[in-house]
Short mmCIF file of all heavy atoms in Angstrom, two decimals:
data_model
loop_
_atom_site.label_atom_id
_atom_site.label_comp_id
_atom_site.label_asym_id
_atom_site.label_seq_id
_atom_site.Cartn_x
_atom_site.Cartn_y
_atom_site.Cartn_z
N THR Q 224 0.09 43.65 15.69
CA THR Q 224 -0.35 43.95 14.32
C THR Q 224 -1.79 43.50 14.08
O THR Q 224 -2.40 43.91 13.11
CB THR Q 224 0.56 43.26 13.29
OG1 THR Q 224 0.64 41.86 13.59
CG2 THR Q 224 1.95 43.84 13.34
N ALA Q 311 13.03 41.65 4.98
CA ALA Q 311 13.57 43.00 4.79
C ALA Q 311 15.09 43.03 4.91
O ALA Q 311 15.74 43.91 4.34
CB ALA Q 311 12.94 43.96 5.80
N GLU Q 338 7.80 37.43 8.61
CA GLU Q 338 6.87 37.98 7.63
C GLU Q 338 6.95 37.11 6.38
O GLU Q 338 7.98 36.53 6.07
CB GLU Q 338 7.26 39.43 7.28
CG GLU Q 338 6.46 40.08 6.19
CD GLU Q 338 5.03 40.42 6.60
OE1 GLU Q 338 4.71 40.29 7.79
OE2 GLU Q 338 4.25 40.83 5.74
N GLU Q 499 7.98 44.35 -3.32
CA GLU Q 499 6.94 43.96 -2.36
C GLU Q 499 5.83 45.00 -2.40
O GLU Q 499 5.99 46.11 -2.92
CB GLU Q 499 7.50 43.83 -0.95
CG GLU Q 499 8.17 45.08 -0.41
CD GLU Q 499 8.75 44.87 0.97
OE1 GLU Q 499 8.43 43.84 1.61
OE2 GLU Q 499 9.53 45.74 1.44
N SER Q 500 4.69 44.63 -1.81
CA SER Q 500 3.55 45.53 -1.81
C SER Q 500 2.69 45.28 -0.59
O SER Q 500 2.80 44.24 0.07
CB SER Q 500 2.72 45.35 -3.09
OG SER Q 500 2.15 44.04 -3.11
N CYS Q 501 1.84 46.23 -0.31
CA CYS Q 501 0.86 46.07 0.78
C CYS Q 501 -0.41 46.81 0.37
O CYS Q 501 -0.36 47.98 -0.03
CB CYS Q 501 1.39 46.62 2.09
SG CYS Q 501 0.28 46.38 3.50
N VAL Q 503 -4.21 48.22 1.36
CA VAL Q 503 -5.05 48.62 2.49
C VAL Q 503 -6.33 49.25 1.96
O VAL Q 503 -6.45 49.57 0.76
CB VAL Q 503 -4.32 49.64 3.40
CG1 VAL Q 503 -3.06 49.02 4.00
CG2 VAL Q 503 -3.97 50.92 2.64
N TYR Q 516 0.34 50.12 -1.80
CA TYR Q 516 1.66 50.71 -1.58
C TYR Q 516 2.67 49.73 -2.19
O TYR Q 516 2.68 48.53 -1.85
CB TYR Q 516 1.94 50.89 -0.10
CG TYR Q 516 1.15 52.03 0.53
CD1 TYR Q 516 -0.10 51.80 1.08
CD2 TYR Q 516 1.67 53.32 0.55
CE1 TYR Q 516 -0.83 52.84 1.65
CE2 TYR Q 516 0.95 54.37 1.12
CZ TYR Q 516 -0.30 54.11 1.67
OH TYR Q 516 -1.02 55.14 2.23
N VAL Q 517 3.51 50.23 -3.09
CA VAL Q 517 4.37 49.34 -3.88
C VAL Q 517 5.83 49.79 -3.81
O VAL Q 517 6.13 50.99 -3.93
CB VAL Q 517 3.92 49.32 -5.36
CG1 VAL Q 517 4.77 48.34 -6.16
CG2 VAL Q 517 2.44 48.95 -5.47
N VAL Q 518 6.72 48.83 -3.58
CA VAL Q 518 8.16 49.07 -3.65
C VAL Q 518 8.68 48.42 -4.92
O VAL Q 518 8.46 47.23 -5.15
CB VAL Q 518 8.89 48.48 -2.43
CG1 VAL Q 518 10.39 48.73 -2.53
CG2 VAL Q 518 8.34 49.06 -1.14
N VAL Q 552 6.61 53.69 -2.95
CA VAL Q 552 7.42 54.12 -1.81
C VAL Q 552 8.77 53.41 -1.84
O VAL Q 552 8.94 52.38 -2.49
CB VAL Q 552 6.70 53.80 -0.48
CG1 VAL Q 552 5.43 54.63 -0.34
CG2 VAL Q 552 6.37 52.32 -0.37
N ASP Q 553 9.74 54.01 -1.15
CA ASP Q 553 11.08 53.42 -1.11
C ASP Q 553 11.10 52.12 -0.31
O ASP Q 553 11.84 51.19 -0.63
CB ASP Q 553 12.08 54.41 -0.51
CG ASP Q 553 12.29 55.62 -1.40
OD1 ASP Q 553 12.12 55.49 -2.63
OD2 ASP Q 553 12.61 56.69 -0.87
N LYS Q 554 10.30 52.08 0.76
CA LYS Q 554 10.21 50.87 1.57
C LYS Q 554 8.91 50.88 2.36
O LYS Q 554 8.30 51.94 2.56
CB LYS Q 554 11.40 50.77 2.54
CG LYS Q 554 11.51 51.94 3.52
CD LYS Q 554 12.74 51.78 4.41
CE LYS Q 554 12.86 52.95 5.38
NZ LYS Q 554 14.05 52.79 6.26
N LEU Q 555 8.49 49.71 2.79
CA LEU Q 555 7.28 49.59 3.58
C LEU Q 555 7.64 49.64 5.06
O LEU Q 555 8.69 49.12 5.47
CB LEU Q 555 6.57 48.26 3.27
CG LEU Q 555 6.06 48.10 1.84
CD1 LEU Q 555 5.48 46.69 1.65
CD2 LEU Q 555 5.02 49.15 1.50
N PRO Q 556 6.81 50.26 5.89
CA PRO Q 556 7.11 50.32 7.32
C PRO Q 556 7.02 48.93 7.94
O PRO Q 556 6.20 48.11 7.53
CB PRO Q 556 6.02 51.25 7.87
CG PRO Q 556 4.87 51.09 6.91
CD PRO Q 556 5.52 50.91 5.56
N LEU Q 557 7.87 48.69 8.93
CA LEU Q 557 7.90 47.40 9.60
C LEU Q 557 7.62 47.55 11.09
O LEU Q 557 7.95 48.57 11.70
CB LEU Q 557 9.27 46.73 9.42
CG LEU Q 557 9.75 46.47 8.00
CD1 LEU Q 557 11.15 45.85 8.03
CD2 LEU Q 557 8.79 45.57 7.25
N THR Q 558 7.02 46.55 11.67
CA THR Q 558 6.86 46.50 13.12
C THR Q 558 8.21 46.08 13.71
O THR Q 558 9.11 45.65 12.99
CB THR Q 558 5.79 45.46 13.52
OG1 THR Q 558 6.31 44.15 13.23
CG2 THR Q 558 4.50 45.69 12.75
N PRO Q 559 8.38 46.18 15.05
CA PRO Q 559 9.64 45.72 15.66
C PRO Q 559 9.93 44.26 15.39
O PRO Q 559 11.08 43.83 15.44
CB PRO Q 559 9.39 45.97 17.16
CG PRO Q 559 8.42 47.10 17.20
CD PRO Q 559 7.51 46.86 16.03
N GLY Q 561 9.57 42.86 12.56
CA GLY Q 561 9.97 42.70 11.18
C GLY Q 561 8.84 42.43 10.21
O GLY Q 561 9.08 42.10 9.05
N LYS Q 562 7.61 42.59 10.65
CA LYS Q 562 6.46 42.36 9.78
C LYS Q 562 6.01 43.69 9.17
O LYS Q 562 6.20 44.75 9.77
CB LYS Q 562 5.30 41.74 10.58
CG LYS Q 562 5.64 40.38 11.18
CD LYS Q 562 4.46 39.83 11.96
CE LYS Q 562 4.80 38.47 12.57
NZ LYS Q 562 3.67 37.88 13.32
N ILE Q 563 5.41 43.62 7.99
CA ILE Q 563 4.91 44.84 7.37
C ILE Q 563 3.83 45.46 8.25
O ILE Q 563 2.87 44.79 8.63
CB ILE Q 563 4.35 44.55 5.96
CG1 ILE Q 563 5.48 44.09 5.03
CG2 ILE Q 563 3.65 45.78 5.38
CD1 ILE Q 563 5.01 43.65 3.66
N ASP Q 564 3.99 46.71 8.59
CA ASP Q 564 3.06 47.40 9.49
C ASP Q 564 1.94 48.01 8.65
O ASP Q 564 1.94 49.20 8.35
CB ASP Q 564 3.81 48.48 10.27
CG ASP Q 564 2.99 49.03 11.44
OD1 ASP Q 564 1.77 48.78 11.47
OD2 ASP Q 564 3.57 49.71 12.30
N TYR Q 565 0.96 47.18 8.30
CA TYR Q 565 -0.13 47.67 7.46
C TYR Q 565 -1.01 48.67 8.19
O TYR Q 565 -1.67 49.52 7.57
CB TYR Q 565 -0.96 46.49 6.92
CG TYR Q 565 -1.75 45.74 7.95
CD1 TYR Q 565 -3.02 46.15 8.33
CD2 TYR Q 565 -1.23 44.60 8.56
CE1 TYR Q 565 -3.74 45.46 9.28
CE2 TYR Q 565 -1.95 43.91 9.50
CZ TYR Q 565 -3.21 44.34 9.86
OH TYR Q 565 -3.92 43.66 10.81
N GLN Q 566 -1.01 48.61 9.53
CA GLN Q 566 -1.80 49.58 10.30
C GLN Q 566 -1.24 50.98 10.14
O GLN Q 566 -1.98 51.96 10.11
CB GLN Q 566 -1.85 49.17 11.76
CG GLN Q 566 -2.65 47.89 12.01
CD GLN Q 566 -2.70 47.50 13.47
OE1 GLN Q 566 -1.82 47.86 14.25
NE2 GLN Q 566 -3.73 46.77 13.85
N GLU Q 567 0.11 51.07 10.05
CA GLU Q 567 0.74 52.37 9.82
C GLU Q 567 0.33 52.90 8.44
O GLU Q 567 0.05 54.10 8.29
CB GLU Q 567 2.26 52.23 9.90
CG GLU Q 567 3.05 53.41 9.35
CD GLU Q 567 2.80 54.70 10.10
OE1 GLU Q 567 2.42 54.66 11.29
OE2 GLU Q 567 2.95 55.78 9.48
N LEU Q 568 0.25 52.04 7.44
CA LEU Q 568 -0.17 52.47 6.10
C LEU Q 568 -1.64 52.89 6.11
O LEU Q 568 -2.02 53.84 5.42
CB LEU Q 568 0.05 51.34 5.10
CG LEU Q 568 1.50 50.93 4.86
CD1 LEU Q 568 1.58 49.73 3.94
CD2 LEU Q 568 2.31 52.10 4.30
N GLU Q 569 -2.46 52.20 6.90
CA GLU Q 569 -3.87 52.57 6.99
C GLU Q 569 -4.05 53.96 7.61
O GLU Q 569 -5.01 54.67 7.29
CB GLU Q 569 -4.63 51.54 7.82
CG GLU Q 569 -4.80 50.20 7.12
CD GLU Q 569 -5.43 49.15 8.02
OE1 GLU Q 569 -5.39 49.33 9.25
OE2 GLU Q 569 -5.94 48.16 7.48
N ARG Q 570 -3.11 54.33 8.48
CA ARG Q 570 -3.22 55.64 9.15
C ARG Q 570 -2.77 56.79 8.26
O ARG Q 570 -3.06 57.95 8.53
CB ARG Q 570 -2.39 55.64 10.44
CG ARG Q 570 -2.99 54.79 11.55
CD ARG Q 570 -2.28 55.03 12.87
NE ARG Q 570 -0.94 54.50 12.88
CZ ARG Q 570 -0.61 53.29 13.31
NH1 ARG Q 570 -1.54 52.48 13.76
NH2 ARG Q 570 0.64 52.88 13.31
N ARG Q 571 -2.04 56.48 7.20
CA ARG Q 571 -1.56 57.55 6.32
C ARG Q 571 -2.71 58.15 5.53
O ARG Q 571 -3.64 57.46 5.13
CB ARG Q 571 -0.50 57.01 5.35
CG ARG Q 571 0.78 56.57 6.05
CD ARG Q 571 1.84 56.13 5.05
NE ARG Q 571 3.04 55.67 5.72
CZ ARG Q 571 4.13 55.22 5.10
NH1 ARG Q 571 4.14 55.19 3.77
NH2 ARG Q 571 5.18 54.83 5.78
#
Side-chain angles (χ1 to χ4, degrees):
T224 53
E338 175 72 8
E499 58 182 347
S500 65
C501 183
V503 299
Y516 287 90
V517 183
V518 180
V552 294
D553 293 332
K554 60 182 179 180
L555 297 176
L557 301 178
T558 69
K562 299 180 181 181
I563 295 174
D564 193 346
Y565 68 86
Q566 292 181 335
E567 166 62 25
L568 295 175
E569 289 174 340
R570 289 190 290 267
R571 294 184 182 180

